[in-house]
Structures are given as structure tokens and as C-alpha cells.
Amino acid sequence: MPHIWGVRTVGDGEFFCPSCGGDRSYLRRIGRHRFALLGIPLLPRGTAETVVECAACRTCFRTDVLGHPTTTRFSAMLRDAVHTVALAVLAAGNEGIDGSGTALTIELHEVLDPLAPHLAPAGSEDILLQGARIALAGGPYTPSERQTLAAVGRALLLSHEDTERLLAIAARTPS
């Protein structure tokens, strides 16, 4: 890459490149605006916005692109979400467990809160429906299972109405 006056790399790592559509290495770059005469930088005019440059396609992005998980991280988050929802619903179906409701709700939020903003509505609904199918495997919803599924819906940023609609759909669908 040719040397550009006033631009320097201040970090690197891996991110999901929206342009390439995959996990790529990046360089975090910062620069300075300069007054130039005939292409020669003469006087500094302030700092430029920090950008993230994809090492593969060289496209530059605002730093907020780093807030999106890589595909590898997103896959792990989905796996953990489905696993945690399944365990929470199974524990809720076991009426012998007392005092675990708060711990389960905390664990659900720890796993689902970072994932929810990155899910399409259909993805959030699918996770809730998987939990509902698990709850229905032992018969109609128990009050504890319904409370757990409502907590899952809230953590996935689903409205109360959508959660109730999905639970009703799952209850009507033969397994």
C-alpha cells in the first residue's frame, strides 16, 4: 500500500466485513487532515475520523462496525442461546426446583441480551418456538414454563403480544 501522509495504524483484529460478507482481518486507522498544495501536504487542519479498513477488500468503515459479531462469534452465541433456553425450560418444567427462577432469568439475560440486537425477528421467534416445543413435549405449558418462555421473549426483544401469539401457535402445532 502506498504511504499516505498523516495516516497511521493504531490497532488490528478480526471483524465481519459488510462489503466482503465474511470474517476478515482489519486495521484501525487514524489520520490527519492537511492543507495540500499541488498534492503536497503543508499545514495540519485537525484529526480525521478513525476508520476500520478491511485487509481483504480495503473498504473503510466507521468504527461501530466492530460492534457486530463475527460469524464465528455469532454461531457460538446462537448455540449458547438455544442451549440456555432449553435448559431453562426443562428446569421450569421440573416443579421440584425452587428458588432457581431468578438465577435462570439472570442466565437467560446474560446469554440472550448480547445476541438479540443482531437477530432478525424470525430468528428471535425461532428460538422462542424451540423453547415452546420443548415445554410442550411433557404436555400443556405449566405456569413456570410459561413464565420462563415469557422471560425468553422479553430477552429476545419480542413484544408480549408476539410472545403470546407464538406460544399459542406452538401449542396448536402437532409435534
Side-chain angles (χ1 to χ4, degrees), residues 105 109 112-113 116 128 147-160 163:
T105 301
H109 280 283
L112 299 177
D113 287 352
L128 180 66
Q147 286 177 336
T148 299
L149 292 167
V152 169
R154 284 190 302 275
L156 290 171
L157 307 177
L158 295 171
S159 69
H160 175 72
T163 299

Side-chain angles (χ1 to χ4, degrees), residues 132-133 136-137 167-175:
R133 288 183 199 110
L136 290 167
L167 295 180
I169 288 170
R172 286 192 308 264
T173 306
S175 34

Side-chain angles (χ1 to χ4, degrees), residues 1 9-13 15 25-29 51-55 58:
M1 183 166 110
T9 301
V10 293
D12 61 2
F15 80 127
S25 296
Y26 72 85
L27 299 173
R28 188 183 298 218
R29 298 193 177 268
V51 296
V52 173
E53 180 184 315
C54 177
R58 300 288 188 217

